[in-house]
Amino acid sequence: MKNDRFLKALRGEQLRPIPIWIMRQAGRYLPEYQEVRGKTDFLTLCKTPELAAQVTIQPVDVLGVDAAILFSDILIPLEPMGIGLDFKEGHGPVLSPPVRTEADVSRLVVHDPNETCGFVSETVKILRKELSQKVPLIGFSGAPFTLATYMIEGGSSRNFLFTKKMMFEAPDLFNKLMEKITDVTIRYLSMQINSGAEAIQVFDTWAGILSVNDYFQHVFPHVDRIFKELSTFDCPKIYFAFGGHHLLSTIKDLKVDCFGIDWRTPLNKASDLLGNDKVVQGNLDPLALFLPEKDLRDRVKVILEEGKVAKSHIFNLGHGVLPQIPAEKVKLLVEIVHDLSK
Amino acid sequence: MKNDRFLKALRGEQLRPIPIWIMRQAGRYLPEYQEVRGKTDFLTLCKTPELAAQVTIQPVDVLGVDAAILFSDILIPLEPMGIGLDFKEGHGPVLSPPVRTEADVSRLVVHDPNETCGFVSETVKILRKELSQKVPLIGFSGAPFTLATYMIEGGSSRNFLFTKKMMFEAPDLFNKLMEKITDVTIRYLSMQINSGAEAIQVFDTWAGILSVNDYFQHVFPHVDRIFKELSTFDCPKIYFAFGGHHLLSTIKDLKVDCFGIDWRTPLNKASDLLGNDKVVQGNLDPLALFLPEKDLRDRVKVILEEGKVAKSHIFNLGHGVLPQIPAEKVKLLVEIVHDLSK
């Protein structure tokens, strides 16, 4: 009964049609989501298992995607480390106080997500049950560097000044911070897998701001440790380094099953850089959903063609879908991908 | 008398020591600049030839760099196209009204910078005279796509939603806008060269947000036209596509003398992608200036080594220097580069 094309593709099977899911598919572009969200704030929604499960399932029913992804936020496991977390409407997240000194880092708690993030575990359990006849459930976390930027900057950033300042001026302190986040991340992902997540994705949204050498020195060891420690779980793993075209040949040997690729790099080029034996996931520019239907079809065709070089291909956007995109267009994309790859 | 190492390197000569200049070298990190800037607003500074010339020369005297770059802003030639331009303290630039419709684009004036931007021409003439015993003068402009993003978004942007919306929904309109900006840019750069600029750099700060295919289809033809039309001038030309690692093999045949490379791509890798017979300029992460002196030296050493693969190498940062960097550190960088490459 269950549609397991997504899991098969993650294992390297070439399928017809290929599976598709969409980053941020449970989000503000979807009227059904807006209705739930209208009654509660974002953080409460993340922390209320029944509601989080409800919005997680919506796109599966509405769009017909081949996987569900836990509705949550990458910053959730940072709060129990001892950081204030606030999502202000129209602004990005605010984390306070920012983590910038030896004392700030020392204060951070390497907590046990089973105790501190029970609502996530609960949501995963509900979802696994409710999705049992539908599609697989993806769990996720932020990657240590991406989480570190939010902690150090106190929110979003343009230049990542404080992050790089710490990395360059105080590499040992930066490393200590990365270690702590990595410890929490491993526990957090283990909890999700133990609760029933059937695949996990690690989002490294800001990895791309680093030079190849700095990524390799300051970030790679931590990402590598996450996937090595999680390799005891027979659960497929995806790593997505947004803006990471220049990092592809550096990350190719990570112990992951699949690499997310943003829209900048053609999938055949990405496969080439990754070694041609990898599963790739991507990579329509989220704003290419503004293309008229005919042009959208043409573009999907190109991406499907480029994806054929890879071991297998899971269709996705190259980044999260934006609130300004009509839900009908997203639904159309799912139909087009299924149609053209069948 | 004059230090012409920068021009020689642009022509492909390998020099010892290699030349260095620094993007945004006339800027807020410099106390001498702050003093001038304290007495006037940014736009007035750009439009007052004596003052603009004064701050242009400051880093040459203070830092000992091998080239001066005209003090101005890439948005300057947009104002006479019929766009309100305002720089609000602490915010980015505000352009109003944003250019989004057929009528908006039609209204734009393809002006003659000789008439509308006389202050730029005047500044260049003063500088050429004052720098005659010192270093060469670089003129510059924004690239059409980068300028288009500011016009369409009405300022800086995170997702470039309106830009890509126009590009995808109304490619003909987008092309018409790009044509108009390209026409102005060619005239604007010609004016600077005719007034005495000894090299020019075209900044494509936002090119990197596009996929290879979209860049090639919607942007490349216009950049290509600029350099082809300017090829009648025997004046070295630099193209800098920030975040453009994935675009390097697409842009390699542009009629330019040198490619600016941001910090993400090692220079030997960049040379490889550009075809190994190109002059490269870059590429220290501007925030790596936070490194302690010893580590900074080590990093410069690596960059100099990587740059040896290129036809020749002009040292620079991988992006503009930030106000938070101590001027002493920038001065130290110039000394280190000259010392290690001698």
Short mmCIF file of all heavy atoms in Angstrom, two decimals, chain A residues 156 158-159 161 164-165 168-169 206 208-209 211-212 214 245-246 263-264 285 287-288 290-292 299 306 322 324, chain B residues 156 158-159 161 164-165 168-169 206 208-209 211-214 245-246 263-264 285 287-288 290-292 299 306 322 324:
data_model
loop_
_atom_site.label_atom_id
_atom_site.label_comp_id
_atom_site.label_asym_id
_atom_site.label_seq_id
_atom_site.Cartn_x
_atom_site.Cartn_y
_atom_site.Cartn_z
N SER A 156 19.78 35.66 11.65
CA SER A 156 20.27 35.61 10.28
C SER A 156 21.40 36.62 10.12
O SER A 156 21.59 37.49 10.97
CB SER A 156 19.15 35.94 9.30
OG SER A 156 18.07 35.07 9.49
N ARG A 158 24.21 38.69 7.05
CA ARG A 158 24.58 38.96 5.66
C ARG A 158 26.05 38.59 5.43
O ARG A 158 26.37 37.92 4.48
CB ARG A 158 24.36 40.45 5.36
CG ARG A 158 23.71 40.68 4.03
CD ARG A 158 23.43 42.13 3.75
NE ARG A 158 23.31 42.30 2.33
CZ ARG A 158 22.21 42.04 1.63
NH1 ARG A 158 21.12 41.60 2.23
NH2 ARG A 158 22.18 42.21 0.33
N ASN A 159 26.89 38.99 6.35
CA ASN A 159 28.33 38.78 6.19
C ASN A 159 28.89 37.70 7.11
O ASN A 159 30.03 37.32 6.96
CB ASN A 159 29.08 40.08 6.47
CG ASN A 159 28.75 41.16 5.48
OD1 ASN A 159 28.67 40.90 4.29
ND2 ASN A 159 28.55 42.38 5.96
N LEU A 161 29.83 38.02 10.07
CA LEU A 161 31.01 38.64 10.64
C LEU A 161 31.44 38.00 11.95
O LEU A 161 32.61 37.63 12.13
CB LEU A 161 30.76 40.13 10.85
CG LEU A 161 31.99 40.90 11.32
CD1 LEU A 161 32.31 42.04 10.34
CD2 LEU A 161 31.81 41.48 12.71
N LYS A 164 32.68 34.25 11.50
CA LYS A 164 34.03 34.11 10.94
C LYS A 164 35.08 34.74 11.87
O LYS A 164 36.21 34.27 11.94
CB LYS A 164 34.09 34.75 9.56
CG LYS A 164 33.34 33.93 8.50
CD LYS A 164 33.57 34.49 7.11
CE LYS A 164 32.90 33.64 6.04
NZ LYS A 164 33.04 34.26 4.70
N LYS A 165 34.68 35.78 12.58
CA LYS A 165 35.60 36.40 13.54
C LYS A 165 36.02 35.34 14.57
O LYS A 165 37.20 35.16 14.85
CB LYS A 165 34.92 37.58 14.22
CG LYS A 165 35.83 38.47 15.05
CD LYS A 165 35.06 39.74 15.46
CE LYS A 165 35.98 40.83 15.98
NZ LYS A 165 36.46 40.60 17.35
N PHE A 168 38.20 32.60 12.92
CA PHE A 168 39.56 33.01 12.58
C PHE A 168 40.38 33.45 13.80
O PHE A 168 41.55 33.16 13.91
CB PHE A 168 39.54 34.14 11.54
CG PHE A 168 39.08 33.69 10.17
CD1 PHE A 168 38.08 34.36 9.48
CD2 PHE A 168 39.67 32.59 9.57
CE1 PHE A 168 37.68 33.94 8.22
CE2 PHE A 168 39.27 32.16 8.30
CZ PHE A 168 38.27 32.84 7.63
N GLU A 169 39.73 34.15 14.72
CA GLU A 169 40.46 34.68 15.87
C GLU A 169 40.62 33.64 16.97
O GLU A 169 41.61 33.64 17.69
CB GLU A 169 39.71 35.89 16.47
CG GLU A 169 40.06 37.22 15.85
CD GLU A 169 39.40 38.38 16.59
OE1 GLU A 169 38.68 38.15 17.60
OE2 GLU A 169 39.58 39.51 16.14
N TRP A 206 24.31 27.36 5.35
CA TRP A 206 25.32 28.41 5.19
C TRP A 206 26.73 27.89 4.93
O TRP A 206 27.68 28.67 4.91
CB TRP A 206 25.30 29.34 6.42
CG TRP A 206 23.96 29.99 6.58
CD1 TRP A 206 23.13 29.91 7.66
CD2 TRP A 206 23.28 30.79 5.61
NE1 TRP A 206 21.97 30.61 7.42
CE2 TRP A 206 22.03 31.16 6.17
CE3 TRP A 206 23.57 31.23 4.31
CZ2 TRP A 206 21.09 31.94 5.49
CZ3 TRP A 206 22.65 32.01 3.63
CH2 TRP A 206 21.42 32.36 4.22
N GLY A 208 28.03 27.15 2.29
CA GLY A 208 28.54 27.74 1.05
C GLY A 208 29.25 29.07 1.20
O GLY A 208 29.88 29.54 0.26
N ILE A 209 29.17 29.69 2.37
CA ILE A 209 29.87 30.98 2.54
C ILE A 209 31.35 30.78 2.85
O ILE A 209 32.09 31.75 2.94
CB ILE A 209 29.24 31.83 3.66
CG1 ILE A 209 29.40 31.14 5.02
CG2 ILE A 209 27.76 32.11 3.37
CD1 ILE A 209 29.31 32.08 6.20
N SER A 211 35.27 29.22 2.28
CA SER A 211 36.21 28.73 1.27
C SER A 211 36.36 27.23 1.45
O SER A 211 36.05 26.67 2.51
CB SER A 211 37.57 29.41 1.45
OG SER A 211 38.22 28.91 2.60
N VAL A 212 36.84 26.59 0.41
CA VAL A 212 37.05 25.14 0.46
C VAL A 212 37.95 24.78 1.65
O VAL A 212 37.63 23.87 2.42
CB VAL A 212 37.68 24.65 -0.87
CG1 VAL A 212 38.01 23.16 -0.77
CG2 VAL A 212 36.74 24.90 -2.05
N ASP A 214 38.61 26.48 4.45
CA ASP A 214 37.99 26.72 5.76
C ASP A 214 36.90 25.70 6.06
O ASP A 214 36.75 25.25 7.19
CB ASP A 214 37.42 28.15 5.83
CG ASP A 214 38.53 29.17 5.98
OD1 ASP A 214 39.51 28.88 6.68
OD2 ASP A 214 38.42 30.26 5.38
N HIS A 245 28.45 24.42 -4.30
CA HIS A 245 29.03 23.91 -5.55
C HIS A 245 30.54 23.66 -5.40
O HIS A 245 31.04 22.61 -5.81
CB HIS A 245 28.77 24.91 -6.68
CG HIS A 245 29.34 24.50 -8.00
ND1 HIS A 245 28.57 24.02 -9.02
CD2 HIS A 245 30.62 24.48 -8.45
CE1 HIS A 245 29.35 23.72 -10.05
NE2 HIS A 245 30.59 24.01 -9.73
N HIS A 246 31.23 24.65 -4.80
CA HIS A 246 32.68 24.54 -4.69
C HIS A 246 33.11 23.49 -3.68
O HIS A 246 34.28 23.15 -3.59
CB HIS A 246 33.30 25.90 -4.34
CG HIS A 246 32.76 26.50 -3.07
ND1 HIS A 246 31.42 26.78 -2.86
CD2 HIS A 246 33.38 26.87 -1.92
CE1 HIS A 246 31.25 27.29 -1.65
NE2 HIS A 246 32.41 27.36 -1.06
N TRP A 263 20.02 24.89 -6.96
CA TRP A 263 19.72 25.06 -8.39
C TRP A 263 20.89 25.56 -9.23
O TRP A 263 20.85 25.55 -10.45
CB TRP A 263 18.55 26.05 -8.55
CG TRP A 263 18.95 27.44 -8.15
CD1 TRP A 263 19.56 28.37 -8.95
CD2 TRP A 263 18.81 28.05 -6.87
NE1 TRP A 263 19.81 29.52 -8.24
CE2 TRP A 263 19.36 29.35 -6.95
CE3 TRP A 263 18.28 27.63 -5.65
CZ2 TRP A 263 19.39 30.22 -5.86
CZ3 TRP A 263 18.31 28.51 -4.57
CH2 TRP A 263 18.85 29.77 -4.68
N ARG A 264 21.96 26.01 -8.54
CA ARG A 264 23.06 26.62 -9.30
C ARG A 264 23.81 25.61 -10.15
O ARG A 264 24.29 25.93 -11.23
CB ARG A 264 24.04 27.29 -8.34
CG ARG A 264 23.48 28.51 -7.63
CD ARG A 264 24.49 29.02 -6.62
NE ARG A 264 24.03 30.16 -5.87
CZ ARG A 264 23.34 30.10 -4.74
NH1 ARG A 264 23.01 28.92 -4.25
NH2 ARG A 264 22.96 31.19 -4.11
N ASP A 285 15.23 25.79 -9.35
CA ASP A 285 15.20 27.07 -8.66
C ASP A 285 13.77 27.31 -8.15
O ASP A 285 12.82 27.28 -8.93
CB ASP A 285 15.60 28.18 -9.65
CG ASP A 285 15.74 29.55 -8.99
OD1 ASP A 285 15.06 29.80 -7.96
OD2 ASP A 285 16.50 30.38 -9.51
N LEU A 287 12.16 29.77 -7.53
CA LEU A 287 11.47 30.86 -8.20
C LEU A 287 11.16 30.55 -9.66
O LEU A 287 10.40 31.26 -10.31
CB LEU A 287 12.25 32.17 -8.05
CG LEU A 287 12.24 32.66 -6.59
CD1 LEU A 287 13.20 33.82 -6.39
CD2 LEU A 287 10.83 33.09 -6.17
N ALA A 288 11.72 29.45 -10.17
CA ALA A 288 11.35 29.01 -11.52
C ALA A 288 9.92 28.50 -11.54
O ALA A 288 9.36 28.24 -12.61
CB ALA A 288 12.33 27.95 -12.01
N PHE A 290 7.66 30.34 -11.09
CA PHE A 290 6.97 31.44 -11.77
C PHE A 290 6.91 31.23 -13.29
O PHE A 290 6.22 31.98 -13.99
CB PHE A 290 7.66 32.78 -11.48
CG PHE A 290 7.32 33.37 -10.13
CD1 PHE A 290 8.33 33.69 -9.23
CD2 PHE A 290 6.00 33.61 -9.77
CE1 PHE A 290 8.03 34.25 -7.99
CE2 PHE A 290 5.69 34.16 -8.53
CZ PHE A 290 6.71 34.48 -7.64
N LEU A 291 7.66 30.26 -13.79
CA LEU A 291 7.62 30.01 -15.23
C LEU A 291 6.22 29.59 -15.68
O LEU A 291 5.52 28.87 -14.96
CB LEU A 291 8.59 28.87 -15.60
CG LEU A 291 10.09 29.17 -15.63
CD1 LEU A 291 10.87 27.86 -15.72
CD2 LEU A 291 10.46 30.09 -16.79
N PRO A 292 5.81 30.01 -16.88
CA PRO A 292 4.56 29.49 -17.43
C PRO A 292 4.65 27.97 -17.58
O PRO A 292 5.76 27.42 -17.70
CB PRO A 292 4.50 30.16 -18.82
CG PRO A 292 5.46 31.29 -18.78
CD PRO A 292 6.50 30.96 -17.76
N ARG A 299 11.83 22.94 -18.47
CA ARG A 299 12.90 23.00 -17.49
C ARG A 299 12.99 21.71 -16.69
O ARG A 299 14.08 21.22 -16.39
CB ARG A 299 12.68 24.19 -16.57
CG ARG A 299 13.77 24.33 -15.54
CD ARG A 299 13.85 25.71 -14.99
NE ARG A 299 14.17 26.67 -16.03
CZ ARG A 299 15.01 27.68 -15.86
NH1 ARG A 299 15.63 27.83 -14.70
NH2 ARG A 299 15.24 28.53 -16.82
N GLU A 306 19.48 15.72 -16.85
CA GLU A 306 20.75 15.90 -16.14
C GLU A 306 20.86 14.91 -14.97
O GLU A 306 21.95 14.44 -14.64
CB GLU A 306 20.87 17.34 -15.63
CG GLU A 306 21.06 18.37 -16.75
CD GLU A 306 20.86 19.82 -16.31
OE1 GLU A 306 20.31 20.06 -15.21
OE2 GLU A 306 21.23 20.71 -17.08
N LEU A 322 8.80 29.23 -1.57
CA LEU A 322 8.52 30.52 -0.93
C LEU A 322 7.01 30.77 -0.82
O LEU A 322 6.23 30.28 -1.64
CB LEU A 322 9.20 31.64 -1.72
CG LEU A 322 10.74 31.63 -1.63
CD1 LEU A 322 11.35 32.59 -2.63
CD2 LEU A 322 11.20 31.99 -0.23
N GLN A 324 5.24 33.15 -1.64
CA GLN A 324 4.63 33.87 -2.76
C GLN A 324 4.26 32.96 -3.94
O GLN A 324 3.67 33.42 -4.92
CB GLN A 324 5.60 34.96 -3.27
CG GLN A 324 5.86 36.09 -2.30
CD GLN A 324 6.99 35.78 -1.32
OE1 GLN A 324 7.44 34.64 -1.20
NE2 GLN A 324 7.43 36.78 -0.58
N SER B 156 18.44 46.07 -1.80
CA SER B 156 19.05 44.77 -1.59
C SER B 156 17.94 43.71 -1.46
O SER B 156 16.78 44.05 -1.31
CB SER B 156 19.88 44.77 -0.31
OG SER B 156 20.84 45.79 -0.38
N ARG B 158 17.07 39.27 -0.43
CA ARG B 158 17.54 37.99 0.08
C ARG B 158 17.28 36.88 -0.93
O ARG B 158 18.13 36.08 -1.22
CB ARG B 158 16.82 37.67 1.40
CG ARG B 158 17.73 37.09 2.42
CD ARG B 158 17.04 36.87 3.74
NE ARG B 158 17.80 35.90 4.51
CZ ARG B 158 18.89 36.19 5.22
NH1 ARG B 158 19.32 37.42 5.30
NH2 ARG B 158 19.53 35.25 5.89
N ASN B 159 16.08 36.90 -1.48
CA ASN B 159 15.68 35.85 -2.41
C ASN B 159 15.63 36.30 -3.87
O ASN B 159 15.46 35.49 -4.75
CB ASN B 159 14.29 35.33 -2.04
CG ASN B 159 14.27 34.66 -0.69
OD1 ASN B 159 15.16 33.89 -0.38
ND2 ASN B 159 13.27 34.96 0.12
N LEU B 161 13.26 37.73 -5.34
CA LEU B 161 11.97 37.23 -5.81
C LEU B 161 11.46 37.99 -7.03
O LEU B 161 11.08 37.39 -8.04
CB LEU B 161 10.95 37.32 -4.68
CG LEU B 161 9.60 36.69 -5.02
CD1 LEU B 161 9.25 35.62 -4.00
CD2 LEU B 161 8.50 37.70 -5.10
N LYS B 164 13.71 37.44 -10.26
CA LYS B 164 13.53 36.15 -10.93
C LYS B 164 12.10 36.01 -11.45
O LYS B 164 11.88 35.37 -12.48
CB LYS B 164 13.88 35.01 -9.97
CG LYS B 164 15.38 34.90 -9.70
CD LYS B 164 15.70 33.65 -8.90
CE LYS B 164 17.20 33.49 -8.71
NZ LYS B 164 17.49 32.33 -7.81
N LYS B 165 11.16 36.61 -10.75
CA LYS B 165 9.77 36.57 -11.23
C LYS B 165 9.71 37.20 -12.63
O LYS B 165 9.13 36.62 -13.55
CB LYS B 165 8.87 37.33 -10.25
CG LYS B 165 7.38 37.15 -10.46
CD LYS B 165 6.62 37.75 -9.25
CE LYS B 165 5.17 37.32 -9.22
NZ LYS B 165 4.33 38.02 -10.20
N PHE B 168 11.55 34.99 -15.21
CA PHE B 168 10.86 33.74 -15.57
C PHE B 168 9.49 33.99 -16.20
O PHE B 168 9.10 33.33 -17.14
CB PHE B 168 10.71 32.83 -14.34
CG PHE B 168 12.02 32.24 -13.87
CD1 PHE B 168 12.41 32.33 -12.54
CD2 PHE B 168 12.86 31.58 -14.76
CE1 PHE B 168 13.61 31.78 -12.11
CE2 PHE B 168 14.06 31.03 -14.34
CZ PHE B 168 14.44 31.12 -13.01
N GLU B 169 8.77 34.97 -15.67
CA GLU B 169 7.41 35.20 -16.17
C GLU B 169 7.40 36.05 -17.43
O GLU B 169 6.55 35.90 -18.29
CB GLU B 169 6.58 35.94 -15.10
CG GLU B 169 5.89 35.05 -14.12
CD GLU B 169 4.95 35.84 -13.20
OE1 GLU B 169 4.84 37.08 -13.35
OE2 GLU B 169 4.33 35.21 -12.34
N TRP B 206 25.72 39.88 -7.93
CA TRP B 206 24.65 38.92 -7.71
C TRP B 206 24.52 37.85 -8.79
O TRP B 206 23.58 37.05 -8.78
CB TRP B 206 23.31 39.65 -7.50
CG TRP B 206 23.39 40.57 -6.33
CD1 TRP B 206 23.19 41.92 -6.33
CD2 TRP B 206 23.71 40.22 -4.97
NE1 TRP B 206 23.38 42.43 -5.07
CE2 TRP B 206 23.70 41.41 -4.21
CE3 TRP B 206 24.02 39.01 -4.32
CZ2 TRP B 206 23.97 41.44 -2.84
CZ3 TRP B 206 24.30 39.04 -2.96
CH2 TRP B 206 24.28 40.24 -2.24
N GLY B 208 25.98 35.20 -9.05
CA GLY B 208 26.08 33.87 -8.45
C GLY B 208 24.78 33.27 -7.96
O GLY B 208 24.72 32.10 -7.63
N ILE B 209 23.71 34.07 -7.94
CA ILE B 209 22.42 33.50 -7.48
C ILE B 209 21.71 32.75 -8.60
O ILE B 209 20.66 32.15 -8.37
CB ILE B 209 21.47 34.59 -6.94
CG1 ILE B 209 21.06 35.55 -8.06
CG2 ILE B 209 22.09 35.34 -5.77
CD1 ILE B 209 19.78 36.29 -7.78
N SER B 211 21.34 29.93 -11.79
CA SER B 211 21.84 28.65 -12.29
C SER B 211 22.71 28.92 -13.51
O SER B 211 22.61 29.98 -14.14
CB SER B 211 20.68 27.74 -12.67
OG SER B 211 20.07 28.21 -13.85
N VAL B 212 23.53 27.96 -13.85
CA VAL B 212 24.40 28.10 -15.02
C VAL B 212 23.56 28.41 -16.26
O VAL B 212 23.86 29.33 -17.03
CB VAL B 212 25.22 26.81 -15.24
CG1 VAL B 212 26.03 26.90 -16.52
CG2 VAL B 212 26.14 26.55 -14.06
N ASN B 213 22.47 27.67 -16.44
CA ASN B 213 21.64 27.86 -17.63
C ASN B 213 20.98 29.24 -17.66
O ASN B 213 20.92 29.88 -18.71
CB ASN B 213 20.56 26.78 -17.72
CG ASN B 213 21.16 25.42 -18.03
OD1 ASN B 213 22.28 25.33 -18.54
ND2 ASN B 213 20.44 24.36 -17.71
N ASP B 214 20.47 29.67 -16.52
CA ASP B 214 19.81 30.98 -16.49
C ASP B 214 20.82 32.10 -16.70
O ASP B 214 20.52 33.08 -17.38
CB ASP B 214 19.06 31.18 -15.17
CG ASP B 214 17.78 30.37 -15.13
OD1 ASP B 214 17.14 30.25 -16.19
OD2 ASP B 214 17.42 29.86 -14.06
N HIS B 245 31.49 30.65 -8.68
CA HIS B 245 32.31 29.45 -8.91
C HIS B 245 31.72 28.58 -10.02
O HIS B 245 32.44 28.13 -10.91
CB HIS B 245 32.39 28.65 -7.60
CG HIS B 245 33.18 27.39 -7.71
ND1 HIS B 245 34.46 27.27 -7.22
CD2 HIS B 245 32.89 26.19 -8.28
CE1 HIS B 245 34.91 26.04 -7.47
NE2 HIS B 245 33.98 25.38 -8.11
N HIS B 246 30.40 28.37 -9.94
CA HIS B 246 29.75 27.48 -10.91
C HIS B 246 29.68 28.09 -12.31
O HIS B 246 29.33 27.41 -13.26
CB HIS B 246 28.35 27.10 -10.42
CG HIS B 246 27.44 28.27 -10.19
ND1 HIS B 246 27.74 29.29 -9.30
CD2 HIS B 246 26.24 28.59 -10.73
CE1 HIS B 246 26.75 30.17 -9.30
NE2 HIS B 246 25.85 29.78 -10.16
N TRP B 263 36.49 34.40 -2.42
CA TRP B 263 37.33 33.55 -1.57
C TRP B 263 36.94 32.08 -1.59
O TRP B 263 37.70 31.24 -1.10
CB TRP B 263 37.27 34.06 -0.12
CG TRP B 263 35.92 33.86 0.50
CD1 TRP B 263 35.49 32.73 1.12
CD2 TRP B 263 34.83 34.77 0.51
NE1 TRP B 263 34.19 32.89 1.54
CE2 TRP B 263 33.75 34.14 1.17
CE3 TRP B 263 34.64 36.07 0.03
CZ2 TRP B 263 32.51 34.75 1.36
CZ3 TRP B 263 33.40 36.67 0.22
CH2 TRP B 263 32.36 36.02 0.87
N ARG B 264 35.77 31.77 -2.14
CA ARG B 264 35.30 30.39 -2.06
C ARG B 264 36.16 29.43 -2.89
O ARG B 264 36.34 28.27 -2.53
CB ARG B 264 33.85 30.30 -2.52
CG ARG B 264 32.85 30.97 -1.60
CD ARG B 264 31.48 30.92 -2.21
NE ARG B 264 30.46 31.57 -1.43
CZ ARG B 264 30.17 32.87 -1.49
NH1 ARG B 264 30.87 33.67 -2.28
NH2 ARG B 264 29.20 33.38 -0.75
N ASP B 285 39.41 35.81 1.93
CA ASP B 285 38.14 36.11 2.61
C ASP B 285 38.32 37.40 3.40
O ASP B 285 39.22 37.49 4.24
CB ASP B 285 37.79 34.95 3.54
CG ASP B 285 36.41 35.10 4.19
OD1 ASP B 285 35.94 36.25 4.34
OD2 ASP B 285 35.82 34.07 4.55
N LEU B 287 37.00 38.53 5.86
CA LEU B 287 36.96 38.34 7.31
C LEU B 287 38.16 37.56 7.83
O LEU B 287 38.39 37.50 9.03
CB LEU B 287 35.63 37.70 7.71
CG LEU B 287 34.45 38.67 7.51
CD1 LEU B 287 33.13 37.96 7.70
CD2 LEU B 287 34.56 39.85 8.46
N ALA B 288 38.95 37.00 6.90
CA ALA B 288 40.19 36.36 7.32
C ALA B 288 41.20 37.41 7.80
O ALA B 288 42.24 37.06 8.36
CB ALA B 288 40.78 35.52 6.19
N PHE B 290 40.70 38.95 10.26
CA PHE B 290 40.66 38.76 11.72
C PHE B 290 41.71 37.76 12.18
O PHE B 290 41.92 37.60 13.39
CB PHE B 290 39.27 38.27 12.16
CG PHE B 290 38.24 39.36 12.25
CD1 PHE B 290 37.04 39.26 11.55
CD2 PHE B 290 38.45 40.48 13.05
CE1 PHE B 290 36.08 40.26 11.65
CE2 PHE B 290 37.49 41.48 13.15
CZ PHE B 290 36.30 41.37 12.44
N LEU B 291 42.33 37.05 11.24
CA LEU B 291 43.36 36.08 11.64
C LEU B 291 44.52 36.78 12.34
O LEU B 291 44.90 37.89 11.95
CB LEU B 291 43.91 35.35 10.41
CG LEU B 291 43.05 34.25 9.77
CD1 LEU B 291 43.65 33.86 8.42
CD2 LEU B 291 42.94 33.03 10.67
N PRO B 292 45.11 36.14 13.34
CA PRO B 292 46.35 36.67 13.92
C PRO B 292 47.43 36.75 12.83
O PRO B 292 47.38 36.00 11.85
CB PRO B 292 46.73 35.62 14.97
CG PRO B 292 45.50 34.81 15.21
CD PRO B 292 44.68 34.88 13.97
N ARG B 299 48.18 32.07 5.43
CA ARG B 299 47.09 32.02 4.46
C ARG B 299 47.45 32.76 3.17
O ARG B 299 47.13 32.31 2.08
CB ARG B 299 45.82 32.63 5.08
CG ARG B 299 44.66 32.61 4.14
CD ARG B 299 43.36 32.73 4.85
NE ARG B 299 43.16 31.63 5.77
CZ ARG B 299 42.00 30.99 5.92
NH1 ARG B 299 40.96 31.36 5.20
NH2 ARG B 299 41.88 30.03 6.78
N GLU B 306 48.72 29.22 -4.83
CA GLU B 306 47.61 28.84 -5.72
C GLU B 306 47.56 29.75 -6.94
O GLU B 306 47.19 29.34 -8.04
CB GLU B 306 46.28 28.88 -4.95
CG GLU B 306 46.16 27.79 -3.89
CD GLU B 306 45.00 28.00 -2.91
OE1 GLU B 306 44.44 29.11 -2.86
OE2 GLU B 306 44.67 27.05 -2.19
N LEU B 322 35.39 45.17 5.11
CA LEU B 322 34.27 45.60 5.95
C LEU B 322 34.71 46.66 6.97
O LEU B 322 35.87 46.69 7.37
CB LEU B 322 33.67 44.39 6.66
CG LEU B 322 32.95 43.41 5.73
CD1 LEU B 322 32.60 42.12 6.46
CD2 LEU B 322 31.67 44.03 5.15
N GLN B 324 34.36 46.87 10.01
CA GLN B 324 34.81 46.37 11.31
C GLN B 324 36.27 45.95 11.35
O GLN B 324 36.81 45.59 12.39
CB GLN B 324 33.93 45.17 11.74
CG GLN B 324 32.48 45.50 12.02
CD GLN B 324 31.62 45.50 10.75
OE1 GLN B 324 32.13 45.46 9.64
NE2 GLN B 324 30.32 45.55 10.91
#
